[in-house]
Amino acid sequence: METQVMERHLDSVDKVKVAQKRKGCFQECLGCEASTEFDFYKGTEKEKFAHAKEDSSFCCRLCLAPNHAFKMTVAEEGTKEEIISVDRPFVCCGSCSCCCFRSMDMNSGGKKIGNIEE
Protein backbone atom coordinates (compact mmCIF):
# COMPACT_ATOMS: atom_id res chain seq x y z
CA MET A 1 0.00 0.00 0.00
CA GLU A 2 1.40 3.36 -1.00
CA THR A 3 1.12 6.52 1.02
CA GLN A 4 -0.24 9.62 -0.68
CA VAL A 5 3.17 11.28 -0.57
CA MET A 6 4.76 8.24 -2.25
CA GLU A 7 2.07 8.24 -4.90
CA ARG A 8 2.47 11.98 -5.48
CA HIS A 9 6.19 11.69 -6.21
CA LEU A 10 6.78 8.23 -7.64
CA ASP A 11 3.72 7.17 -9.66
CA SER A 12 4.58 9.09 -12.83
CA VAL A 13 8.38 8.84 -12.55
CA ASP A 14 10.44 6.35 -14.58
CA LYS A 15 13.75 7.14 -12.93
CA VAL A 16 14.92 8.42 -9.53
CA LYS A 17 18.43 9.72 -8.97
CA VAL A 18 19.88 9.18 -5.49
CA ALA A 19 22.91 11.27 -4.57
CA GLN A 20 24.93 10.73 -1.41
CA LYS A 21 25.81 14.01 0.25
CA ARG A 22 29.49 14.62 0.87
CA LYS A 23 30.74 15.05 4.38
CA GLY A 24 32.52 18.23 5.40
CA CYS A 25 36.18 18.61 4.51
CA PHE A 26 37.21 18.27 8.17
CA GLN A 27 35.25 15.01 8.54
CA GLU A 28 36.63 13.63 5.27
CA CYS A 29 40.25 14.36 6.21
CA LEU A 30 39.95 12.81 9.67
CA GLY A 31 37.88 9.85 8.51
CA CYS A 32 35.06 10.64 10.96
CA GLU A 33 32.10 8.29 10.79
CA ALA A 34 29.29 10.80 10.25
CA SER A 35 25.81 9.57 9.48
CA THR A 36 25.16 9.14 5.78
CA GLU A 37 22.73 11.49 4.00
CA PHE A 38 21.06 11.22 0.60
CA ASP A 39 19.12 13.55 -1.69
CA PHE A 40 16.52 12.18 -4.12
CA TYR A 41 15.77 13.71 -7.53
CA LYS A 42 13.01 12.94 -10.05
CA GLY A 43 14.15 11.45 -13.35
CA THR A 44 16.91 13.31 -15.11
CA GLU A 45 15.67 16.62 -13.74
CA LYS A 46 17.37 18.42 -10.90
CA GLU A 47 14.08 18.58 -8.98
CA LYS A 48 14.87 17.46 -5.45
CA PHE A 49 11.82 15.87 -3.87
CA ALA A 50 13.16 13.98 -0.84
CA HIS A 51 15.98 13.68 1.68
CA ALA A 52 17.17 10.85 3.94
CA LYS A 53 19.62 10.70 6.83
CA GLU A 54 20.93 7.58 8.51
CA ASP A 55 19.79 7.20 12.12
CA SER A 56 22.47 5.31 14.05
CA SER A 57 24.80 6.01 16.93
CA PHE A 58 28.35 7.26 16.42
CA CYS A 59 29.74 4.29 18.39
CA CYS A 60 27.93 1.78 16.16
CA ARG A 61 29.16 3.49 12.98
CA LEU A 62 32.71 3.65 14.30
CA CYS A 63 33.04 0.18 15.86
CA LEU A 64 30.67 -1.97 13.82
CA ALA A 65 30.93 -0.54 10.28
CA PRO A 66 29.95 -1.71 7.74
CA ASN A 67 27.66 -4.14 9.60
CA HIS A 68 26.04 -1.66 11.99
CA ALA A 69 22.29 -1.40 12.39
CA PHE A 70 20.55 1.73 11.14
CA LYS A 71 17.19 3.20 10.30
CA MET A 72 16.61 5.71 7.55
CA THR A 73 13.49 7.61 6.60
CA VAL A 74 13.13 9.02 3.10
CA ALA A 75 11.08 12.16 3.73
CA GLU A 76 9.43 14.61 1.36
CA GLU A 77 11.36 17.84 0.90
CA GLY A 78 9.56 20.69 2.63
CA THR A 79 6.87 18.76 4.52
CA LYS A 80 9.13 16.02 5.95
CA GLU A 81 6.34 13.45 5.38
CA GLU A 82 7.60 9.87 5.19
CA ILE A 83 7.81 8.33 1.74
CA ILE A 84 9.70 5.14 2.67
CA SER A 85 11.50 4.00 5.81
CA VAL A 86 14.35 1.51 5.83
CA ASP A 87 15.39 -0.65 8.77
CA ARG A 88 18.62 -2.64 8.61
CA PRO A 89 19.46 -4.81 11.63
CA PHE A 90 22.98 -5.49 12.86
CA VAL A 91 24.85 -8.43 11.26
CA CYS A 92 27.61 -9.85 13.45
CA CYS A 93 29.94 -11.38 10.86
CA GLY A 94 30.14 -9.34 7.67
CA SER A 95 32.86 -11.33 5.93
CA CYS A 96 31.25 -14.75 6.39
CA SER A 97 29.04 -15.38 3.39
CA CYS A 98 27.75 -18.77 4.50
CA CYS A 99 25.17 -17.62 7.06
CA CYS A 100 25.43 -13.89 7.79
CA PHE A 101 23.48 -12.17 5.05
CA ARG A 102 22.49 -8.52 5.32
CA SER A 103 18.87 -7.56 4.89
CA MET A 104 16.72 -4.43 5.06
CA ASP A 105 12.99 -4.02 5.56
CA MET A 106 11.18 -1.34 3.54
CA ASN A 107 8.07 0.27 5.02
CA SER A 108 5.68 3.00 3.97
CA GLY A 109 2.89 4.40 6.10
CA GLY A 110 3.69 1.87 8.83
CA LYS A 111 3.16 -1.11 6.52
CA LYS A 112 5.86 -3.38 5.16
CA ILE A 113 6.14 -2.99 1.39
CA GLY A 114 9.16 -5.18 0.79
CA ASN A 115 12.66 -6.16 1.78
CA ILE A 116 16.14 -6.32 0.33
CA GLU A 117 18.31 -9.35 0.99
CA GLU A 118 21.93 -10.00 0.14
Side-chain angles (χ1 to χ4, degrees):
M1 166 143 190
E2 296 178 347
T3 62
Q4 288 180 351
V5 69
M6 180 190 283
E7 190 175 303
R8 183 168 55 241
H9 289 290
L10 300 177
D11 267 2
S12 62
V13 176
D14 293 333
K15 186 177 179 181
V16 173
K17 178 183 176 186
V18 181
Q20 183 175 355
K21 292 183 86 171
R22 291 186 53 98
K23 300 174 190 174
C25 187
F26 185 70
Q27 290 174 328
E28 296 261 347
C29 291
L30 294 178
C32 291
E33 283 297 325
S35 55
T36 306
E37 293 184 57
F38 298 94
D39 288 330
F40 294 77
Y41 301 90
K42 289 182 181 180
T44 57
E45 304 171 25
K46 279 292 188 185
E47 182 186 346
K48 181 177 164 184
F49 72 92
H51 176 80
K53 184 175 182 180
E54 173 185 354
D55 181 18
S56 63
S57 74
F58 172 77
C59 290
C60 285
R61 289 191 307 272
L62 183 65
C63 299
L64 303 174
N67 305 316
H68 67 285
F70 71 84
K71 294 182 184 215
M72 186 178 295
T73 299
V74 179
E76 181 179 34
E77 191 69 17
T79 67
K80 305 296 182 207
E81 284 187 70
E82 176 190 297
I83 298 173
I84 295 173
S85 64
V86 177
D87 184 14
R88 186 180 85 175
F90 170 71
V91 177
C92 63
C93 52
S95 60
C96 176
S97 61
C98 61
C99 61
C100 298
F101 299 107
R102 294 184 200 154
S103 66
M104 295 192 303
D105 290 329
M106 309 291 284
N107 300 291
S108 183
K111 299 191 187 238
K112 185 173 179 176
I113 59 171
N115 64 331
I116 300 170
E117 294 181 351
E118 188 173 39

